[in-house]
Amino acid sequence: MPIDILMPALSPTMEEGKLAKWLKKEGDQVKAGDIIAEIETDKATMEVEAVDEGILAKILVADGTDNVAVNTRIGVIAADGEDVSTAANGAAKAAAPEPKAEPAPAAKAEEAPAASAPQSVPAQAKAYDASSEFPAGAEIVSMTVREALRDAMAEEMRRDGDVFVMGEEVAEYQGAYKVTQGLLQEFGPKRVIDTPITEHGFAGIGVGAALSGLRPIVEFMTFNFAMQAIDHIINSAAKTLYMSGGQMGAPIVFRGPNGAAARVGAQHSHDYAAWYSNVPGLKVVMPYSASDAKGLLKSAIRDPNPVIFLENEILYGRSFDVPKSDDFLVPIGKAKVVRPGTDVTIVSFGIGMAYALGAAEALAKEGIEAEVIDLRTIRPMDIETVVASVQKTNRCVAVEEGFPQSGVTAEIGMKIMEAAFDYLDAPVARVTGKDVPMPYAANLEKLALPNIGEVVAAAKAVCYR
């Protein structure tokens, strides 16, 4: 069967180019890998290789032809044992365009039916049910977020010898926030590695290790410092799977505190959830409770993709109920209805959940029952669970500590508009951090962050109360 030679693309955006010259002529024997032609654009020149063995039976596009569209048949190779003249004749016939039949005159012109408007009301969305995530019969213990994160890493390191931890002060000092406490003593310095103060350096080493088949957990003392490593995270970890055609993946977790803490200034208080959630190839997780921190971190370590795991320094010391199980997992990409309600949906993630839950309690005292949803994962975002709630409450308030411009809550609002516009009885409201660099002074920092009162006010506004 003849083998078509197609006009290749020099880049994903290339649409056409020039067939500069043929390096083989009709009748020549070619082998896989032989250079048979050269193509040009205004930016580059590329050689065209044969993909199979045979004889160049027919050249369909001559040397020097401009504006040849990508995927146009430019030649035909006759496979070994195939009749060359038959392949050439078949190629010529295929290359000749068929004359277009003129349509018979219509007896009466008919108007085309008007295009129907797209249906904006979706089918009833289904919320994810997180009630079965805790293993049946498991003992429930109280645990801080810090302890939950440590246990998640320890359990996965026991399970898989390819998992290791690296970062500044993770070993001898037991972690800047004591999240890696005890790991050095159990797993030794080859799997719990103190690094120099060079995020660009050790993040690159981690990405290289992941591309080689290991499963690194790279801790940043704060995600503000990950700015030094963002080229490795985005251009290497996030994009290599796609750019290698699926041949190379990066099973790596980048974790550490993100966003505001307490009087650490603008350069240590930035919330990067929206930044990383913009990048195809990354998964972005931002838990609130200890159980979600543990279950999601274990899932992130097992995931074959790079995962940005955003923690919060203020939450490290808070305690929550956690099931006592070495195989407790929380799926990435699923939100959780934390508090059911009927009057308004409040959706948040990370420490924003503290404002959302506090506001729900205050609203309940005034007769407004808020349904509170914890996104848990920012990318991929479980918008269906949010939409299912909005279809019930008809109102939504989205909460985050990040900036309003291009924020996660802006994405939530847009997705609700696209999927549930006809269910809304009021515009989606947002409560975010103020659009200023984080002040150092305690009184100004407090003003720059969201608070429960602002969430209550937003919920009342969309309920017209």
Side-chain angles (χ1 to χ4, degrees):
M1 186 175 187
I3 301 160
D4 290 337
I5 307 170
L6 303 180
M7 182 70 170
L10 290 176
S11 71
T13 58
M14 175 179 163
E15 295 181 355
E16 59 183 28
K18 176 181 179 180
L19 202 159
K21 63 179 177 180
W22 284 95
L23 302 179
K24 298 282 187 180
K25 60 182 183 294
E26 291 183 1
D28 284 354
Q29 183 76 34
V30 296
K31 295 181 296 184
D34 283 355
I35 308 302
I36 57 176
E38 290 182 355
I39 62 171
E40 295 177 356
T41 70
D42 58 343
K43 297 179 180 177
T45 300
M46 187 175 80
E47 297 170 331
V48 180
E49 294 183 3
V51 295
D52 214 332
E53 295 186 3
I55 295 174
L56 182 56
K58 188 72 175 177
I59 291 174
L60 300 176
V61 178
D63 289 355
T65 303
D66 285 315
N67 304 320
V68 181
V70 169
N71 289 329
T72 298
R73 296 169 73 244
I74 59 175
V76 176
I77 295 175
D80 285 342
E82 185 177 8
D83 184 81
V84 174
S85 60
T86 301
N89 291 335
K93 289 179 181 178
E98 292 287 337
K100 293 184 179 179
E102 292 294 329
K108 182 180 180 181
E110 295 183 5
E111 292 185 5
S116 59
Q119 179 60 264
S120 61
V121 180
Q124 185 64 40
K126 185 177 180 181
Y128 171 71
D129 183 4
S131 61
S132 61
E133 289 179 351
F134 278 29
E139 180 185 353
I140 306 300
V141 297
S142 180
M143 184 179 292
T144 65
V145 172
R146 176 184 291 110
E147 293 166 338
L149 293 167
R150 178 205 60 205
D151 284 2
M153 288 186 285
E155 290 168 10
E156 292 305 301
M157 291 174 77
R158 295 182 196 117
R159 175 182 174 273
D160 186 346
D162 288 337
V163 178
F164 69 96
V165 181
M166 65 189 305
E168 297 159 355
E169 299 182 348
V170 299
E172 296 291 344
Y173 191 66
Q174 309 286 303
Y177 304 98
K178 305 306 179 199
V179 174
T180 54
Q181 192 165 24
L183 297 186
L184 174 65
Q185 286 67 31
E186 180 175 353
F187 300 102
K190 288 189 176 180
R191 296 183 66 194
V192 185
I193 305 167
D194 275 331
T195 65
I197 305 175
T198 168
E199 286 75 14
H200 180 75
F202 68 74
I205 291 171
V207 173
L211 294 173
S212 301
L214 299 178
R215 291 184 173 270
I217 305 168
V218 175
E219 178 181 304
F220 296 118
M221 196 177 292
T222 163
F223 261 90
N224 295 269
F225 300 159
M227 291 283 284
Q228 303 294 324
I230 203 163
D231 180 61
H232 291 306
I233 296 171
I234 293 176
N235 279 330
S236 296
K239 297 178 181 177
T240 297
L241 182 67
Y242 175 80
M243 295 181 71
S244 68
Q247 298 178 77
M248 296 177 69
I252 186 170
V253 177
F254 300 98
R255 52 153 296 270
N258 166 72
R263 297 189 66 200
V264 292
Q267 293 176 327
H268 295 72
S269 301
H270 201 105
D271 184 344
Y272 290 94
W275 281 46
Y276 289 113
S277 70
N278 175 256
V279 181
L282 291 179
K283 294 185 177 182
V284 183
V285 177
M286 196 166 173
Y288 168 64
S289 69
S291 61
D292 286 342
K294 181 180 181 181
L296 284 165
L297 182 54
K298 287 168 69 71
S299 293
I301 294 168
R302 298 185 190 188
D303 200 286
N305 302 285
V307 180
I308 303 295
F309 199 91
L310 303 172
E311 302 157 12
N312 186 275
E313 186 180 335
I314 301 297
L315 293 177
Y316 280 145
R318 296 192 184 178
S319 296
F320 300 84
D321 287 343
V322 180
K324 197 172 183 180
S325 169
D326 288 351
D327 207 35
F328 168 61
L329 299 173
V330 172
I332 292 174
K334 294 297 182 181
K336 180 180 182 179
V337 179
V338 179
R339 176 184 177 127
T342 55
D343 298 323
V344 59
T345 299
I346 303 177
V347 56
S348 192
F349 52 92
I351 198 170
M353 285 297 297
Y355 309 123
L357 289 169
E361 291 181 11
L363 290 165
K365 296 175 182 177
E366 300 187 40
I368 299 174
E369 291 299 327
E371 181 150 288
V372 181
I373 296 176
D374 185 353
L375 280 182
R376 305 194 291 188
T377 301
I378 313 303
R379 185 184 183 103
M381 185 182 291
D382 181 9
I383 199 64
E384 185 173 10
T385 294
V386 177
V387 167
S389 179
V390 171
Q391 288 176 335
K392 175 175 62 175
T393 67
N394 311 119
R395 297 168 174 83
C396 184
V397 176
V399 184
E400 68 173 314
E401 277 198 347
F403 299 126
Q405 172 78 37
S406 306
V408 177
T409 50
E411 178 70 7
I412 294 168
M414 187 64 187
K415 285 185 177 294
I416 292 172
M417 189 280 293
E418 291 174 337
F421 179 78
D422 289 331
Y423 286 90
L424 290 172
D425 288 341
V428 176
R430 292 195 292 159
V431 178
T432 70
K434 307 307 180 291
D435 202 16
V436 295
M438 185 61 67
Y440 174 74
N443 59 330
L444 297 179
E445 181 182 60
K446 185 177 180 180
L447 292 172
L449 291 168
N451 58 63
I452 291 173
E454 291 176 342
V455 181
V456 169
K460 286 183 175 182
V462 298
C463 291
Y464 304 108
R465 295 281 291 272

